[in-house]
Amino acid sequence: MRKILFFLLLFIDNMLFAQMSLKKDLDQLLHQRFDKNQAGIAVMVVKEGKVLYKKGVGMANVDTKEPLSSQSNFRMASVSKQFTAMCIMLLAKQGRLSYEDNLLRFFPDFEPTVGKKIKVRHLLTHSSGIWDYETSLPQERTAQILDAEVVAMLSKETRTYFEPGTTFRYSNSGFCVLEQIVEKASGISYVEFITKHIFKPLGMSSTRIYEAGKSIPHRAMGYAKNKQGKPIASDQSITSATKGDGCVYTSLEDYYKWYNGLINNKLIPLDSELEKVAISLPSTSKGQYGLGWFFQKNETEPLALYHTGSTCGFSNGVLIVPSRKYLFLYFSNIADNHGIEKELISLVKKHNVYDTSFDFLKMVDLTN
């Protein structure tokens, strides 16, 4: 009995030492890379369900001097797509729509030759070929565009980039259309639906959808760097108010609740839905995309989920291995700051914490 107790205590000591060593190295890296008085980053690492690291470095708001913390709400950009996809999954579960429905079911005025071919599943896998709305915006425009206007623009388009369902092309347009499908199928606003069916059930009490003029608690403001490398305010653009493709604001604390909801199937078993709705990526990675996630799985490695988010003032990355209860997460309120991900991963691997052999970094370029 004493031997068992001895080895148990030794194991616990080794675990604590490893965690302290990881924390020390991550602290050193983040303090080297980020000025405590400027915009920065928040990082979380979870292994086997245990939070090994959770910290913010830098400022959430340079003007008010509010520091970043695990409660700071960052704009998720394309990491938001997984939430929009979950709304669609929940509506499918409720029988209010089908993955096989085409656009004409929800938008009867959509151009028929396009609306008839594009299905909900194509939007969820970036395989619709739908036109990029950003290419049609006039250069002189200053007002932010919303999802309903995106759909109105696209409804007149007679072209697609390819035959729907035949290949992958990342599309913000598709997720703006999905946001409007949520409203059409549910009969309530997207904000109401996602709050009632996702945020509240999972206890994500500080998570918000961006709406101009409405407050966001502990909001991290977005920044960029000019040609001289100096930080400048860069929080909004004309395309940063569309909800379906990038308007979720959340924190490390609240995203951890979302992660627990996913791995414990509190809303819908994601792995079984990915078997129904996915497309292979046009690369040698053997990766797939579906339901707001890049993902991989094979005979020796379990399902791993990955996505990044990039916008005028934010850079984010998320990796989850559900069966191993692993989460690697960084949110930065600095634009074009994905270079830090490679450094973070190298450190996590050094401490034998990184829990997948899949190389998702090559998929960053597939996200816009």
Side-chain angles (χ1 to χ4, degrees):
M1 185 65 184
R2 287 180 179 176
K3 272 189 177 182
I4 294 173
L5 185 59
F6 170 78
F7 284 114
L8 180 60
L9 290 172
L10 184 64
F11 173 75
I12 292 172
D13 282 344
N14 286 337
M15 286 286 288
L16 289 173
F17 176 78
Q19 184 177 349
M20 288 173 64
S21 181
L22 172 66
K23 182 180 182 301
K24 180 182 177 182
D25 281 356
L26 284 172
D27 281 349
Q28 184 176 13
L29 172 66
L30 297 184
H31 285 291
Q32 284 176 346
R33 294 290 181 269
F34 299 96
D35 186 330
K36 66 179 182 179
N37 296 311
Q38 298 295 339
I41 195 169
V43 176
M44 176 181 273
V45 181
V46 178
K47 185 172 174 83
E48 295 174 357
K50 180 180 175 64
V51 178
L52 302 182
Y53 191 83
K54 180 176 65 175
K55 189 169 186 178
V57 174
M59 290 286 165
N61 188 319
V62 174
D63 293 331
T64 64
K65 305 301 181 186
E66 181 180 350
L68 287 169
S69 72
S70 61
Q71 295 181 327
S72 298
N73 276 318
F74 294 76
R75 177 181 165 82
M76 289 294 96
S78 287
V79 173
S80 302
K81 289 180 170 71
Q82 57 200 248
F83 294 94
T84 299
M86 181 58 75
C87 290
I88 296 293
M89 285 185 271
L90 290 169
L91 286 165
K93 182 181 178 182
Q94 295 169 9
R96 299 190 181 194
L97 58 76
S98 163
Y99 298 139
E100 304 306 320
D101 289 338
N102 65 30
L103 297 188
L104 295 179
R105 174 176 174 186
F106 309 101
F107 315 108
D109 295 332
F110 220 91
E111 204 288 319
T113 57
V114 172
K116 183 170 60 177
K117 290 181 179 180
I118 295 178
K119 298 178 180 180
V120 171
R121 69 163 51 253
H122 298 146
L123 301 173
L124 290 166
T125 54
H126 295 300
S127 64
S128 68
I130 201 166
W131 216 249
D132 293 335
Y133 79 87
E134 297 97 330
T135 63
S136 301
L137 293 174
Q139 288 188 340
E140 65 275 11
R141 181 177 177 129
T142 57
Q144 289 186 314
I145 190 167
L146 300 177
D147 306 75
E149 188 181 351
V150 170
V151 172
M153 289 173 56
L154 296 173
S155 67
K156 301 178 179 65
E157 186 57 64
T158 59
R159 302 166 294 173
T160 55
Y161 290 110
F162 48 80
E163 186 69 16
T166 59
T167 192
F168 174 95
R169 179 190 168 100
Y170 197 87
S171 172
N172 289 315
S173 293
F175 274 76
C176 292
V177 175
L178 286 169
E179 189 265 3
Q180 286 293 285
I181 288 176
V182 170
E183 296 199 346
K184 298 286 185 182
S186 69
I188 58 177
S189 73
Y190 176 82
V191 174
E192 279 185 89
F193 187 88
I194 199 170
T195 302
K196 179 179 178 181
H197 295 279
I198 297 179
F199 300 158
K200 284 188 176 178
L202 297 180
M204 300 170 68
S205 57
S206 69
T207 301
R208 298 288 188 275
I209 301 296
Y210 173 79
E211 295 179 280
K214 294 193 177 181
S215 65
I216 296 172
H218 304 293
R219 177 178 175 178
M221 303 303 292
Y223 299 86
K225 293 183 178 179
N226 62 18
K227 291 180 181 179
Q228 291 73 41
K230 293 183 178 179
I232 55 173
S234 183
D235 190 70
Q236 293 292 308
S237 71
I238 62 171
T239 60
S240 62
T242 48
K243 298 180 179 68
D245 64 335
C247 259
V248 172
Y249 272 74
T250 196
S251 63
L252 296 183
E253 299 280 358
D254 265 17
Y255 194 92
Y256 183 60
K257 296 172 184 177
W258 164 247
Y259 148 83
N260 273 310
L262 285 179
I263 68 169
N264 293 306
N265 299 326
K266 290 183 179 179
L267 299 174
I268 281 180
L270 179 60
D271 55 350
S272 62
E273 293 304 295
L274 285 171
E275 292 178 5
K276 304 174 192 174
V277 186
I279 190 169
S280 296
L281 297 173
S283 68
T284 58
S285 69
K286 297 183 180 179
Q288 294 177 273
Y289 191 98
L291 304 170
W293 290 101
F294 293 95
F295 69 95
Q296 287 188 262
K297 182 180 181 180
N298 62 29
E299 302 79 20
T300 58
E301 285 274 2
L303 175 69
L305 307 162
Y306 177 81
H307 216 286
T308 59
S310 304
T311 186
C312 57
F314 296 88
S315 306
N316 312 307
V318 177
L319 171 66
I320 298 174
V321 185
S323 65
R324 293 175 175 168
K325 297 183 179 180
Y326 177 77
L327 170 66
F328 167 80
L329 182 66
Y330 70 94
F331 300 155
S332 175
N333 58 334
I334 304 173
D336 301 319
N337 194 33
H338 289 291
I340 191 65
E341 181 172 341
K342 189 173 183 179
E343 294 184 82
L344 289 168
I345 288 174
S346 293
L347 266 186
V348 176
K349 283 183 175 179
K350 171 188 168 184
H351 290 275
N352 297 315
V353 173
Y354 199 69
D355 222 342
T356 181
S357 65
F358 295 130
D359 181 9
F360 283 103
L361 285 175
K362 62 184 69 174
M363 297 178 190
V364 173
D365 293 334
L366 294 174
T367 312
N368 58 6

